[in-house]
């Protein structure tokens, strides 16, 4: 199914060439297909496009959180943490921003803070079912607190 997703996101990227979300999703599909160089290129492009959007609206916490997510996937932990902290300062109750914080921190190896952010995201309405299946949270999957969080809803 990742190949089907890749094709769909590639088509969407052609139709919406300035959409960072689509480009980031393409990177995710490529990563699941072990096409790491292409995934990294798509994530870099997603960061570039979302930074352009932030030039128009620098206080958009969701776009800033997406930038942080892609930076974390690219291995730039310092930039990812800085950007997710700023996104949280703009809106600390948005379920999506909180969820991105959980993923950024999980990818950065900070399991405790990732679980705290995940707990907050779920309390603010994020889907436990989606969190339970998210490969980006695989480093947390065997932790009792993770199983409690995603299983308790």
């Amino acid at each position: 199914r990742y190949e089907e997703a890749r094709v769909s996101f590639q088509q969407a990227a052609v139709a919406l060439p300035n959409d960072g979300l689509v480009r980031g999703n393409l990177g995710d599909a490529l990563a699941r297909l072990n096409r790491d160089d292409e995934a990294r290129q798509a994530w870099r492009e997603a960061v570039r496009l979302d930074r352009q959007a932030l030039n128009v609206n620098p206080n958009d916490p969701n776009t800033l959180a997406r930038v942080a997510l892609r930076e974390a996937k690219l291995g730039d932990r310092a930039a990812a943490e800085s950007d997710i902290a700023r996104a949280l300062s703009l809106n600390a109750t948005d379920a999506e921003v909180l969820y991105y914080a959980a993923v950024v921190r999980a990818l950065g190896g900070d399991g405790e803070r990732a679980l705290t952010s995940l707990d907050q995201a779920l309390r603010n309405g994020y889907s436990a079912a989606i969190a339970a299946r998210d490969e980006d949270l695989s480093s947390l999957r065997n932790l009792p607190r993770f199983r409690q969080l995603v299983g308790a809803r």
Side-chain angles (χ1 to χ4, degrees):
R1 293 180 41 185
Y2 290 125
E3 178 58 24
E4 293 169 15
R6 182 203 61 80
V7 169
S8 293
F9 287 127
Q10 201 124 37
Q11 291 170 343
V14 170
L16 303 165
N18 296 317
D19 190 319
L21 178 61
V22 168
R23 201 61 57 114
N25 288 340
L26 173 59
D28 292 343
L30 289 163
R32 299 293 182 253
L33 294 167
N34 296 314
R35 293 168 64 172
D36 296 336
D37 290 341
E38 291 170 272
R40 292 178 65 74
Q41 181 180 351
W43 290 328
R44 281 191 295 272
E45 183 65 7
V47 168
R48 185 186 72 75
L49 291 169
D50 279 342
R51 288 229 179 266
Q52 283 181 343
L54 288 168
N55 287 336
V56 175
N57 182 5
N59 294 320
D60 179 348
N62 296 83
T63 301
L64 196 54
R66 280 199 314 269
V67 168
L69 174 66
R70 304 313 178 198
E71 289 168 334
K73 291 180 180 204
L74 288 164
D76 191 346
R77 291 180 180 159
E81 184 57 41
S82 175
D83 284 333
I84 201 62
R86 182 154 186 279
L88 288 166
S89 77
L90 293 168
N91 190 339
T93 61
D94 183 279
E96 185 174 287
V97 172
L98 288 161
Y99 187 75
Y100 283 146
V103 174
V104 164
R105 290 164 175 165
L107 293 173
D110 191 346
E112 200 54 45
R113 288 178 70 210
L115 288 168
T116 297
S117 295
L118 178 60
D119 184 26
Q120 293 169 333
L122 296 172
R123 288 177 191 271
N124 281 279
Y126 201 85
S127 168
I130 291 173
R133 292 188 311 265
D134 191 340
E135 290 297 318
D136 291 332
L137 297 178
S138 63
S139 65
L140 308 177
R141 206 162 271 133
N142 292 327
L143 299 175
R145 186 169 172 213
F146 178 81
R147 291 194 304 269
Q148 176 189 18
L149 287 172
V150 298
R153 291 173 165 77

